Amino acid sequence: MTDGLDLRRMGSGSGVVIIAAGAALALIAIVMTARHGVTEWRYALIFGILIAVGEMVQFRVDRIRNRAPIATSAALAYATLRGPSLAVPPDVAQIIAVTAVSTAAGILPRAISGLRWDVVVSFRRGISVACAAAVFAGLTTPDLVWTGRWQEAIWIAGAMLAAVLSAGVTDALIGAGQATERYNRPFPAALRDELVVMTRIGLAMGITGMLLAAATSLIGLWGPPVVLVPLLLTQFAFRRFASAQRTYRTTVRSMARSTEIAGFSSPGQNARTATLAVAVGNDLGLTPARMEALEYAALLSGVGQLALADPSPGGASLLRTREERQRAAEIGASVIERSGVLDHVAEIVRHSNDPYRQGRANNADIPVESGIVNVALAYEQLVGEGSGQSPDKAMESIGLGIGAEYDPVVVESLRRVIGRGFRF
């Protein structure tokens, strides 16, 4: 039952804290709801079903965590119900309890079937919804409903928006803390990335939840079917985006393997270089878009070698002359540009063999990602399988080229990454 569960996330310190906090919150809410009884059980049942279905059809959209737009929108909608169709709106405890029970009901089939799911993300969602429910309850009163007067409408809509934003900010803070621990990203950079995701994806789910809540509050249980179409369109759009991302990644990895098949790089060399490049990029706080381009560039950095006469022994491109390496980088960039969608990756590869003193030191337009690929490839060839050098010896060799061959900022970042115990 744990085949699809990301155990590394659950085992991290922040993951354990999130699970413990979410579980405690859910348990208290369930006990309180059981003692006081469920109000408006039909609404609780309908929204519970929506949340459970949303959890069952969740999917991975950004290679980092699963998304469940239907579940998120439905939970936020239930947290912001307030209208003439409900005699008694749900209190905070009931909202948390319904969300927790429904989430568990939706995850159970995925766990049984072995589909991927992320327990930490589910608990994060529960904590965020609890925050939204508390904010909405604090800004409204049980007798405040949609009456047709603009004063009530503005106040309720404002409270809804505040609740949605509080959920997004809470989730962003939790996510930034996770990224700082798991990937050694600077917290400000991690928070920036989470807030960007919130504005691009989170607000879409939040606003959909607001529409669902408003429709249900005004017309009753006919609301969910009316707003179900936008929910399904949101789900479809996310899945299309995820499919495109998977296609790009599969294409890039296939291109990267071609150099290994032809003997121009050792088995796994491109993947190891990409892993180290990503670790350095995380340390430097690059944005997710730049991180993706960096990973692709590291994977494809050896494609141009296919145009050379003979493969390097063991894939050690550093044994080639400067002219050969730069020619290979230019050819590789030209090949990548022909894809029509990876021009930013091609630019990184084009300058990945430029000496720092003759390149980025005098031309700020050269991306720092090129310097990262250059250093990561050098370290991999010194330490990778069959090379025999120790990390300390490799860092000593790379250190001799600081300021001339290698970007000092990148080398210092590599030193920090290695110092934290990075190993291939």
Short mmCIF file of all heavy atoms in Angstrom, two decimals, residues 92-151:
data_model
loop_
_atom_site.label_atom_id
_atom_site.label_comp_id
_atom_site.label_asym_id
_atom_site.label_seq_id
_atom_site.Cartn_x
_atom_site.Cartn_y
_atom_site.Cartn_z
N VAL A 92 -15.78 26.00 12.14
CA VAL A 92 -14.40 25.70 11.75
C VAL A 92 -14.07 24.23 11.99
O VAL A 92 -13.45 23.57 11.15
CB VAL A 92 -13.41 26.61 12.52
CG1 VAL A 92 -11.97 26.21 12.22
CG2 VAL A 92 -13.64 28.07 12.15
N ALA A 93 -14.49 23.70 13.14
CA ALA A 93 -14.18 22.30 13.47
C ALA A 93 -14.80 21.36 12.45
O ALA A 93 -14.17 20.39 12.00
CB ALA A 93 -14.66 21.97 14.87
N GLN A 94 -16.05 21.62 12.07
CA GLN A 94 -16.71 20.74 11.11
C GLN A 94 -16.03 20.82 9.74
O GLN A 94 -15.89 19.80 9.05
CB GLN A 94 -18.19 21.11 10.98
CG GLN A 94 -18.95 20.21 10.01
CD GLN A 94 -20.44 20.45 10.06
OE1 GLN A 94 -21.03 20.54 11.15
NE2 GLN A 94 -21.08 20.54 8.90
N ILE A 95 -15.60 22.00 9.33
CA ILE A 95 -14.91 22.16 8.04
C ILE A 95 -13.63 21.33 8.03
O ILE A 95 -13.34 20.61 7.07
CB ILE A 95 -14.60 23.64 7.78
CG1 ILE A 95 -15.90 24.42 7.56
CG2 ILE A 95 -13.67 23.80 6.58
CD1 ILE A 95 -15.74 25.92 7.62
N ILE A 96 -12.86 21.43 9.11
CA ILE A 96 -11.61 20.67 9.20
C ILE A 96 -11.89 19.18 9.21
O ILE A 96 -11.21 18.39 8.54
CB ILE A 96 -10.82 21.09 10.45
CG1 ILE A 96 -10.43 22.57 10.37
CG2 ILE A 96 -9.56 20.22 10.61
CD1 ILE A 96 -9.82 23.11 11.65
N ALA A 97 -12.91 18.77 9.95
CA ALA A 97 -13.24 17.34 10.06
C ALA A 97 -13.69 16.78 8.72
O ALA A 97 -13.25 15.70 8.30
CB ALA A 97 -14.32 17.13 11.12
N VAL A 98 -14.58 17.48 8.04
CA VAL A 98 -15.07 17.00 6.73
C VAL A 98 -13.92 16.92 5.74
O VAL A 98 -13.80 15.95 4.98
CB VAL A 98 -16.19 17.93 6.21
CG1 VAL A 98 -16.51 17.61 4.75
CG2 VAL A 98 -17.44 17.78 7.06
N THR A 99 -13.05 17.93 5.74
CA THR A 99 -11.90 17.93 4.83
C THR A 99 -10.98 16.75 5.12
O THR A 99 -10.51 16.06 4.21
CB THR A 99 -11.12 19.25 4.95
OG1 THR A 99 -11.99 20.34 4.63
CG2 THR A 99 -9.93 19.26 4.00
N ALA A 100 -10.70 16.50 6.40
CA ALA A 100 -9.79 15.42 6.78
C ALA A 100 -10.36 14.05 6.42
O ALA A 100 -9.67 13.21 5.82
CB ALA A 100 -9.50 15.48 8.28
N VAL A 101 -11.62 13.81 6.77
CA VAL A 101 -12.24 12.51 6.50
C VAL A 101 -12.34 12.28 4.99
O VAL A 101 -12.06 11.18 4.48
CB VAL A 101 -13.62 12.41 7.16
CG1 VAL A 101 -14.35 11.15 6.73
CG2 VAL A 101 -13.47 12.44 8.68
N SER A 102 -12.74 13.30 4.24
CA SER A 102 -12.89 13.18 2.80
C SER A 102 -11.54 12.95 2.13
O SER A 102 -11.43 12.18 1.17
CB SER A 102 -13.56 14.42 2.22
OG SER A 102 -14.82 14.65 2.83
N THR A 103 -10.52 13.64 2.61
CA THR A 103 -9.17 13.46 2.06
C THR A 103 -8.71 12.02 2.26
O THR A 103 -8.17 11.39 1.33
CB THR A 103 -8.19 14.43 2.72
OG1 THR A 103 -8.59 15.77 2.44
CG2 THR A 103 -6.78 14.21 2.20
N ALA A 104 -8.92 11.50 3.45
CA ALA A 104 -8.54 10.11 3.72
C ALA A 104 -9.33 9.15 2.83
O ALA A 104 -8.78 8.17 2.30
CB ALA A 104 -8.79 9.78 5.19
N ALA A 105 -10.61 9.43 2.62
CA ALA A 105 -11.44 8.56 1.78
C ALA A 105 -10.97 8.60 0.33
O ALA A 105 -11.04 7.58 -0.37
CB ALA A 105 -12.90 8.99 1.87
N GLY A 106 -10.49 9.75 -0.12
CA GLY A 106 -10.01 9.86 -1.49
C GLY A 106 -8.64 9.23 -1.70
O GLY A 106 -8.34 8.69 -2.77
N ILE A 107 -7.80 9.30 -0.67
CA ILE A 107 -6.44 8.76 -0.79
C ILE A 107 -6.43 7.24 -0.69
O ILE A 107 -5.61 6.57 -1.32
CB ILE A 107 -5.55 9.37 0.32
CG1 ILE A 107 -5.16 10.80 -0.06
CG2 ILE A 107 -4.30 8.54 0.54
CD1 ILE A 107 -4.33 11.49 0.98
N LEU A 108 -7.36 6.67 0.06
CA LEU A 108 -7.37 5.23 0.30
C LEU A 108 -7.36 4.42 -1.00
O LEU A 108 -6.56 3.48 -1.14
CB LEU A 108 -8.57 4.85 1.17
CG LEU A 108 -8.64 3.38 1.62
CD1 LEU A 108 -7.40 3.00 2.42
CD2 LEU A 108 -9.91 3.13 2.42
N PRO A 109 -8.23 4.73 -1.99
CA PRO A 109 -8.17 3.95 -3.23
C PRO A 109 -6.83 4.07 -3.96
O PRO A 109 -6.34 3.11 -4.55
CB PRO A 109 -9.31 4.55 -4.08
CG PRO A 109 -10.22 5.19 -3.09
CD PRO A 109 -9.34 5.69 -2.00
N ARG A 110 -6.20 5.26 -3.91
CA ARG A 110 -4.89 5.43 -4.55
C ARG A 110 -3.84 4.58 -3.85
O ARG A 110 -2.99 3.97 -4.48
CB ARG A 110 -4.47 6.90 -4.51
CG ARG A 110 -5.33 7.83 -5.33
CD ARG A 110 -4.76 9.24 -5.34
NE ARG A 110 -3.49 9.31 -6.03
CZ ARG A 110 -3.34 9.53 -7.32
NH1 ARG A 110 -4.42 9.70 -8.09
NH2 ARG A 110 -2.14 9.58 -7.88
N ALA A 111 -3.90 4.57 -2.52
CA ALA A 111 -2.93 3.78 -1.77
C ALA A 111 -3.09 2.29 -2.05
O ALA A 111 -2.11 1.56 -2.22
CB ALA A 111 -3.09 4.05 -0.27
N ILE A 112 -4.34 1.83 -2.13
CA ILE A 112 -4.60 0.41 -2.38
C ILE A 112 -4.12 0.01 -3.78
O ILE A 112 -3.54 -1.07 -3.97
CB ILE A 112 -6.10 0.10 -2.21
CG1 ILE A 112 -6.50 0.28 -0.73
CG2 ILE A 112 -6.42 -1.31 -2.68
CD1 ILE A 112 -7.98 0.11 -0.48
N SER A 113 -4.34 0.89 -4.75
CA SER A 113 -3.97 0.57 -6.14
C SER A 113 -2.51 0.85 -6.44
O SER A 113 -2.04 0.55 -7.54
CB SER A 113 -4.85 1.37 -7.11
OG SER A 113 -4.70 2.76 -6.89
N GLY A 114 -1.78 1.44 -5.49
CA GLY A 114 -0.36 1.69 -5.68
C GLY A 114 -0.05 2.94 -6.48
O GLY A 114 1.09 3.12 -6.93
N LEU A 115 -1.04 3.82 -6.69
CA LEU A 115 -0.79 5.06 -7.41
C LEU A 115 -0.01 6.02 -6.53
O LEU A 115 -0.09 5.98 -5.29
CB LEU A 115 -2.12 5.71 -7.83
CG LEU A 115 -2.96 4.92 -8.85
CD1 LEU A 115 -4.30 5.61 -9.07
CD2 LEU A 115 -2.21 4.79 -10.17
N ARG A 116 0.75 6.91 -7.17
CA ARG A 116 1.56 7.87 -6.42
C ARG A 116 0.67 8.84 -5.64
O ARG A 116 -0.30 9.36 -6.18
CB ARG A 116 2.47 8.64 -7.38
CG ARG A 116 3.36 9.67 -6.67
CD ARG A 116 4.18 10.42 -7.69
NE ARG A 116 5.13 9.55 -8.34
CZ ARG A 116 6.33 9.26 -7.85
NH1 ARG A 116 6.71 9.78 -6.70
NH2 ARG A 116 7.15 8.46 -8.50
N TRP A 117 1.04 9.07 -4.41
CA TRP A 117 0.36 10.10 -3.61
C TRP A 117 1.34 10.61 -2.58
O TRP A 117 2.32 9.96 -2.25
CB TRP A 117 -0.90 9.54 -2.95
CG TRP A 117 -0.69 8.39 -2.01
CD1 TRP A 117 -0.41 7.11 -2.34
CD2 TRP A 117 -0.73 8.44 -0.58
NE1 TRP A 117 -0.28 6.34 -1.20
CE2 TRP A 117 -0.48 7.12 -0.11
CE3 TRP A 117 -0.98 9.43 0.36
CZ2 TRP A 117 -0.45 6.81 1.24
CZ3 TRP A 117 -0.95 9.12 1.71
CH2 TRP A 117 -0.69 7.82 2.13
N ASP A 118 1.09 11.80 -2.11
CA ASP A 118 2.01 12.47 -1.20
C ASP A 118 1.27 12.86 0.06
O ASP A 118 0.45 13.78 0.07
CB ASP A 118 2.60 13.71 -1.89
CG ASP A 118 3.78 14.30 -1.13
OD1 ASP A 118 3.79 14.18 0.11
OD2 ASP A 118 4.67 14.87 -1.77
N VAL A 119 1.53 12.15 1.14
CA VAL A 119 0.82 12.38 2.39
C VAL A 119 1.10 13.77 2.95
O VAL A 119 0.21 14.40 3.53
CB VAL A 119 1.18 11.27 3.42
CG1 VAL A 119 2.64 11.33 3.81
CG2 VAL A 119 0.30 11.38 4.65
N VAL A 120 2.31 14.27 2.76
CA VAL A 120 2.64 15.59 3.29
C VAL A 120 1.84 16.68 2.59
O VAL A 120 1.32 17.61 3.23
CB VAL A 120 4.15 15.87 3.16
CG1 VAL A 120 4.49 17.28 3.62
CG2 VAL A 120 4.95 14.86 3.96
N VAL A 121 1.70 16.58 1.28
CA VAL A 121 0.92 17.57 0.54
C VAL A 121 -0.54 17.54 0.97
O VAL A 121 -1.19 18.58 1.09
CB VAL A 121 1.05 17.32 -0.98
CG1 VAL A 121 0.04 18.15 -1.76
CG2 VAL A 121 2.46 17.65 -1.45
N SER A 122 -1.08 16.35 1.22
CA SER A 122 -2.46 16.25 1.68
C SER A 122 -2.64 16.92 3.03
O SER A 122 -3.63 17.63 3.28
CB SER A 122 -2.88 14.78 1.75
OG SER A 122 -2.86 14.18 0.46
N PHE A 123 -1.68 16.73 3.94
CA PHE A 123 -1.77 17.38 5.24
C PHE A 123 -1.56 18.88 5.11
O PHE A 123 -2.17 19.66 5.85
CB PHE A 123 -0.75 16.77 6.21
CG PHE A 123 -1.25 15.53 6.89
CD1 PHE A 123 -0.93 14.27 6.42
CD2 PHE A 123 -2.05 15.63 8.01
CE1 PHE A 123 -1.40 13.13 7.04
CE2 PHE A 123 -2.52 14.49 8.67
CZ PHE A 123 -2.20 13.24 8.17
N ARG A 124 -0.69 19.29 4.20
CA ARG A 124 -0.52 20.72 3.93
C ARG A 124 -1.84 21.35 3.50
O ARG A 124 -2.20 22.45 3.94
CB ARG A 124 0.54 20.94 2.85
CG ARG A 124 1.96 20.95 3.34
CD ARG A 124 2.94 21.07 2.20
NE ARG A 124 2.74 22.27 1.39
CZ ARG A 124 3.56 22.64 0.42
NH1 ARG A 124 4.61 21.88 0.12
NH2 ARG A 124 3.34 23.74 -0.26
N ARG A 125 -2.55 20.66 2.63
CA ARG A 125 -3.82 21.16 2.15
C ARG A 125 -4.81 21.29 3.30
O ARG A 125 -5.55 22.28 3.40
CB ARG A 125 -4.37 20.23 1.06
CG ARG A 125 -5.58 20.77 0.33
CD ARG A 125 -6.04 19.81 -0.76
NE ARG A 125 -4.97 19.58 -1.71
CZ ARG A 125 -4.43 18.40 -1.93
NH1 ARG A 125 -4.83 17.34 -1.26
NH2 ARG A 125 -3.47 18.26 -2.83
N GLY A 126 -4.82 20.30 4.19
CA GLY A 126 -5.72 20.36 5.33
C GLY A 126 -5.42 21.52 6.24
O GLY A 126 -6.33 22.22 6.72
N ILE A 127 -4.14 21.79 6.49
CA ILE A 127 -3.75 22.91 7.35
C ILE A 127 -4.13 24.24 6.69
O ILE A 127 -4.62 25.16 7.36
CB ILE A 127 -2.24 22.86 7.64
CG1 ILE A 127 -1.91 21.62 8.48
CG2 ILE A 127 -1.77 24.12 8.34
CD1 ILE A 127 -0.42 21.38 8.66
N SER A 128 -3.93 24.35 5.39
CA SER A 128 -4.26 25.58 4.68
C SER A 128 -5.77 25.85 4.71
O SER A 128 -6.20 26.99 4.91
CB SER A 128 -3.78 25.50 3.24
OG SER A 128 -2.39 25.33 3.17
N VAL A 129 -6.56 24.79 4.52
CA VAL A 129 -8.01 24.94 4.57
C VAL A 129 -8.46 25.34 5.98
O VAL A 129 -9.37 26.17 6.14
CB VAL A 129 -8.70 23.64 4.12
CG1 VAL A 129 -10.20 23.69 4.40
CG2 VAL A 129 -8.45 23.40 2.64
N ALA A 130 -7.82 24.78 6.99
CA ALA A 130 -8.14 25.16 8.37
C ALA A 130 -7.86 26.65 8.59
O ALA A 130 -8.65 27.35 9.25
CB ALA A 130 -7.33 24.32 9.34
N CYS A 131 -6.77 27.13 8.05
CA CYS A 131 -6.44 28.55 8.17
C CYS A 131 -7.49 29.40 7.46
O CYS A 131 -7.93 30.43 8.00
CB CYS A 131 -5.05 28.80 7.59
SG CYS A 131 -4.49 30.52 7.73
N ALA A 132 -7.90 28.97 6.27
CA ALA A 132 -8.92 29.72 5.53
C ALA A 132 -10.24 29.75 6.30
O ALA A 132 -10.90 30.80 6.38
CB ALA A 132 -9.13 29.08 4.16
N ALA A 133 -10.62 28.62 6.89
CA ALA A 133 -11.86 28.56 7.64
C ALA A 133 -11.82 29.47 8.85
O ALA A 133 -12.80 30.17 9.18
CB ALA A 133 -12.13 27.12 8.08
N ALA A 134 -10.66 29.50 9.53
CA ALA A 134 -10.53 30.36 10.72
C ALA A 134 -10.59 31.83 10.34
O ALA A 134 -11.24 32.63 11.03
CB ALA A 134 -9.21 30.04 11.43
N VAL A 135 -9.93 32.21 9.26
CA VAL A 135 -9.95 33.61 8.82
C VAL A 135 -11.36 34.03 8.41
O VAL A 135 -11.85 35.10 8.78
CB VAL A 135 -8.96 33.82 7.65
CG1 VAL A 135 -9.15 35.19 7.01
CG2 VAL A 135 -7.53 33.68 8.15
N PHE A 136 -12.03 33.15 7.63
CA PHE A 136 -13.39 33.49 7.19
C PHE A 136 -14.34 33.61 8.37
O PHE A 136 -15.17 34.52 8.43
CB PHE A 136 -13.89 32.43 6.21
CG PHE A 136 -15.20 32.77 5.58
CD1 PHE A 136 -15.28 33.73 4.58
CD2 PHE A 136 -16.37 32.12 5.96
CE1 PHE A 136 -16.50 34.06 3.99
CE2 PHE A 136 -17.59 32.44 5.37
CZ PHE A 136 -17.66 33.40 4.39
N ALA A 137 -14.23 32.68 9.33
CA ALA A 137 -15.09 32.74 10.51
C ALA A 137 -14.81 33.98 11.34
O ALA A 137 -15.71 34.57 11.94
CB ALA A 137 -14.90 31.48 11.35
N GLY A 138 -13.54 34.40 11.39
CA GLY A 138 -13.19 35.58 12.16
C GLY A 138 -13.68 36.88 11.55
O GLY A 138 -13.89 37.88 12.25
N LEU A 139 -13.86 36.88 10.22
CA LEU A 139 -14.29 38.10 9.53
C LEU A 139 -15.79 38.18 9.31
O LEU A 139 -16.30 39.21 8.86
CB LEU A 139 -13.58 38.20 8.17
CG LEU A 139 -12.06 38.40 8.21
CD1 LEU A 139 -11.49 38.38 6.80
CD2 LEU A 139 -11.71 39.72 8.91
N THR A 140 -16.49 37.09 9.60
CA THR A 140 -17.94 37.08 9.40
C THR A 140 -18.64 36.60 10.66
O THR A 140 -18.00 36.12 11.60
CB THR A 140 -18.32 36.14 8.23
OG1 THR A 140 -17.87 34.81 8.52
CG2 THR A 140 -17.70 36.62 6.93
N THR A 141 -19.95 36.70 10.65
CA THR A 141 -20.78 36.17 11.74
C THR A 141 -21.76 35.17 11.15
O THR A 141 -22.08 35.23 9.95
CB THR A 141 -21.56 37.29 12.44
OG1 THR A 141 -22.37 37.99 11.46
CG2 THR A 141 -20.60 38.28 13.09
N PRO A 142 -22.27 34.22 11.95
CA PRO A 142 -23.19 33.20 11.41
C PRO A 142 -24.44 33.79 10.75
O PRO A 142 -25.02 33.16 9.86
CB PRO A 142 -23.55 32.36 12.64
CG PRO A 142 -22.37 32.53 13.55
CD PRO A 142 -21.92 33.95 13.35
N ASP A 143 -24.88 34.98 11.18
CA ASP A 143 -26.09 35.56 10.62
C ASP A 143 -25.82 36.45 9.40
O ASP A 143 -26.74 37.04 8.84
CB ASP A 143 -26.84 36.36 11.68
CG ASP A 143 -25.98 37.48 12.27
OD1 ASP A 143 -24.75 37.46 12.06
OD2 ASP A 143 -26.54 38.37 12.94
N LEU A 144 -24.55 36.57 8.99
CA LEU A 144 -24.22 37.37 7.81
C LEU A 144 -24.39 36.50 6.57
O LEU A 144 -23.67 35.52 6.37
CB LEU A 144 -22.78 37.88 7.90
CG LEU A 144 -22.29 38.73 6.72
CD1 LEU A 144 -23.10 40.02 6.61
CD2 LEU A 144 -20.82 39.04 6.86
N VAL A 145 -25.36 36.85 5.71
CA VAL A 145 -25.66 36.04 4.53
C VAL A 145 -25.81 36.95 3.31
O VAL A 145 -25.85 38.18 3.43
CB VAL A 145 -26.95 35.21 4.73
CG1 VAL A 145 -26.78 34.22 5.87
CG2 VAL A 145 -28.14 36.13 4.99
N TRP A 146 -25.90 36.30 2.15
CA TRP A 146 -26.15 37.04 0.92
C TRP A 146 -27.63 37.46 0.90
O TRP A 146 -28.50 36.63 0.72
CB TRP A 146 -25.86 36.18 -0.31
CG TRP A 146 -24.45 35.68 -0.40
CD1 TRP A 146 -23.94 34.55 0.15
CD2 TRP A 146 -23.38 36.30 -1.10
NE1 TRP A 146 -22.61 34.42 -0.15
CE2 TRP A 146 -22.23 35.48 -0.92
CE3 TRP A 146 -23.24 37.47 -1.87
CZ2 TRP A 146 -21.00 35.79 -1.48
CZ3 TRP A 146 -22.02 37.77 -2.43
CH2 TRP A 146 -20.91 36.94 -2.23
N THR A 147 -27.91 38.74 1.07
CA THR A 147 -29.30 39.23 1.09
C THR A 147 -29.64 40.07 -0.12
O THR A 147 -30.77 40.51 -0.27
CB THR A 147 -29.54 40.08 2.36
OG1 THR A 147 -28.66 41.22 2.33
CG2 THR A 147 -29.27 39.27 3.61
N GLY A 148 -28.70 40.32 -0.98
CA GLY A 148 -28.94 41.19 -2.13
C GLY A 148 -28.45 42.61 -1.89
O GLY A 148 -28.34 43.39 -2.84
N ARG A 149 -28.15 42.95 -0.66
CA ARG A 149 -27.60 44.27 -0.37
C ARG A 149 -26.11 44.28 -0.67
O ARG A 149 -25.39 43.33 -0.36
CB ARG A 149 -27.84 44.63 1.10
CG ARG A 149 -29.31 44.74 1.49
CD ARG A 149 -29.45 45.02 2.96
NE ARG A 149 -28.74 46.25 3.33
CZ ARG A 149 -28.49 46.63 4.58
NH1 ARG A 149 -28.86 45.84 5.59
NH2 ARG A 149 -27.84 47.75 4.83
N TRP A 150 -25.65 45.38 -1.27
CA TRP A 150 -24.26 45.42 -1.69
C TRP A 150 -23.30 45.41 -0.51
O TRP A 150 -22.17 44.95 -0.62
CB TRP A 150 -24.00 46.63 -2.59
CG TRP A 150 -24.20 47.97 -1.92
CD1 TRP A 150 -25.34 48.71 -1.85
CD2 TRP A 150 -23.20 48.71 -1.21
NE1 TRP A 150 -25.14 49.88 -1.16
CE2 TRP A 150 -23.81 49.91 -0.75
CE3 TRP A 150 -21.86 48.50 -0.93
CZ2 TRP A 150 -23.14 50.86 -0.02
CZ3 TRP A 150 -21.18 49.46 -0.21
CH2 TRP A 150 -21.81 50.62 0.25
N GLN A 151 -23.74 45.94 0.66
CA GLN A 151 -22.85 45.94 1.82
C GLN A 151 -22.48 44.52 2.25
O GLN A 151 -21.31 44.22 2.49
CB GLN A 151 -23.52 46.68 3.00
CG GLN A 151 -23.74 48.16 2.76
CD GLN A 151 -25.12 48.45 2.19
OE1 GLN A 151 -25.74 47.58 1.58
NE2 GLN A 151 -25.57 49.68 2.40
#
